[in-house]
Amino acid sequence: MNRIQELEVKMGYQFRNPQLLQQALTHSSYANEHHMKKHSDNERLEFLGDAVLELMSSEFLYEKYPDYAEGSLTKLRASLVCEPTLAFCTRELDLGSYLYLGKGEDHTGGRERKSILSDALEAVIGAIYLDGGFASAKEFVLKYILTDIEHKQLFFDSKTILQEVVQAKGGHVLDYKIIREEGPDHDKHFWVAAQMDHVTVGEGEGHTKKAAEQEAAYQALLKLKQQKAENLENGGNDVS
């Protein structure tokens, strides 16, 4: 079984034209490095997949939340189809390991870069849409993107939500501290700790300080939720 077939098994979708999936996984750096013909990378498929995803997510949220006003639906859709959340969605498939990247992009962490991962996921959606039609693409989107919405909202809004949680507790100070950074100026990688009263409650990493802070806040919220559940299970009071 080759890599394309392996990914098809993970996805639960077999392409009639496997070249479409291969193109969806091909980053421009790889196409340029290998002197591939024009439009051999995944950018056009990403353009198509973005439009397909917006329509599907809009229809899904319209039907699922009949009491939501337009503004609330727009905000919720944005949290589900933004770059960080889509990159988060690729973890289940380990999509980054299947990408065709140029050597430079690969060596500088391209397989974990949120912009590359989110674009590749949209390209895969576009490829499935072309290969199997709307129904097949919708099945994929429902399975890997429009699931566990509450959890993904938590991920998207983690810094804001954590700030609200800390404020609700009263008298606590929340801040973010860079604990490590590596790489040249054009390709920095940051490790950040979210701290409450100078005690670390979560850690995160990313190619920007903002991304690392968001991940740190997300990890802190998961930890606080777990503590809350354990406290309630043990018969304690919910102090959060």
Side-chain angles (χ1 to χ4, degrees):
M1 183 184 296
N2 62 33
R3 297 285 285 167
I4 293 293
Q5 291 170 331
E6 183 181 302
L7 181 57
E8 285 180 323
V9 171
K10 275 190 180 182
M11 291 166 47
Y13 178 79
Q14 185 173 2
F15 278 78
R16 297 176 179 84
N17 178 8
Q19 287 184 335
L20 278 170
L21 179 56
Q22 185 164 340
Q23 183 180 351
L25 301 172
T26 301
H27 188 255
S28 57
S29 62
Y30 183 92
N32 293 334
E33 192 174 284
H34 288 78
H35 307 291
M36 297 171 71
K37 65 180 183 180
K38 192 175 181 181
H39 303 318
S40 295
D41 60 34
N42 63 7
E43 291 179 356
R44 282 169 52 84
L45 284 174
E46 182 259 323
F47 165 80
L48 177 61
D50 175 67
V52 172
L53 177 58
E54 182 162 339
L55 175 59
M56 289 179 176
S57 57
S58 299
E59 179 191 43
F60 175 82
L61 295 173
Y62 180 85
E63 292 177 351
K64 185 175 179 63
Y65 300 101
D67 297 328
Y68 277 30
E70 182 267 346
S72 298
L73 290 170
T74 299
K75 183 179 178 182
L76 182 53
R77 182 181 63 194
S79 73
L80 292 174
V81 301
C82 69
E83 180 182 292
T85 310
L86 291 180
F88 181 80
C89 293
T90 67
R91 294 179 183 182
E92 187 175 349
L93 291 168
D94 190 21
L95 192 64
S97 68
Y98 295 94
L99 299 179
Y100 296 92
L101 300 177
K103 290 180 180 177
E105 195 66 63
D106 199 358
H107 291 329
T108 56
R111 295 186 187 279
E112 299 173 2
R113 190 163 290 124
K114 290 180 173 62
S115 58
I116 291 177
L117 289 170
S118 62
D119 287 351
L121 185 60
E122 289 182 329
V124 168
I125 294 168
I128 295 174
Y129 174 77
L130 288 178
D131 188 77
F134 190 87
S136 296
K138 185 174 183 179
E139 185 177 341
F140 177 83
V141 168
L142 289 173
K143 184 176 181 180
Y144 290 105
I145 300 172
L146 300 178
T147 56
D148 203 2
I149 291 176
E150 181 182 335
H151 185 80
K152 285 169 182 170
Q153 273 190 289
L154 183 72
F155 175 77
F156 176 74
D157 291 324
S158 52
K159 282 186 71 176
T160 302
I161 295 171
L162 182 59
Q163 184 66 50
E164 291 172 351
V165 169
V166 171
Q167 287 176 346
K169 287 177 178 290
H172 297 286
V173 176
L174 173 68
D175 59 12
Y176 296 88
K177 180 181 179 182
I178 297 174
I179 52 180
R180 194 163 111 236
E181 60 180 272
E182 293 179 1
D185 288 341
H186 69 278
D187 189 41
K188 283 281 189 185
H189 200 88
F190 298 91
W191 284 261
V192 167
Q195 298 187 331
M196 189 163 65
D197 298 335
H198 306 294
V199 176
T200 297
V201 289
E203 294 184 2
E205 60 180 283
H207 283 279
T208 65
K209 292 176 186 177
K210 182 179 179 181
E213 289 174 355
Q214 195 82 345
E215 180 74 23
Y218 173 66
Q219 294 301 331
L221 285 167
L222 292 183
K223 187 180 294 185
L224 290 170
K225 283 185 75 175
Q226 183 179 357
Q227 290 173 352
K228 175 181 175 181
E230 290 173 353
N231 193 42
L232 291 172
E233 188 176 308
N234 294 329
N237 293 320
D238 176 15
V239 294
S240 63

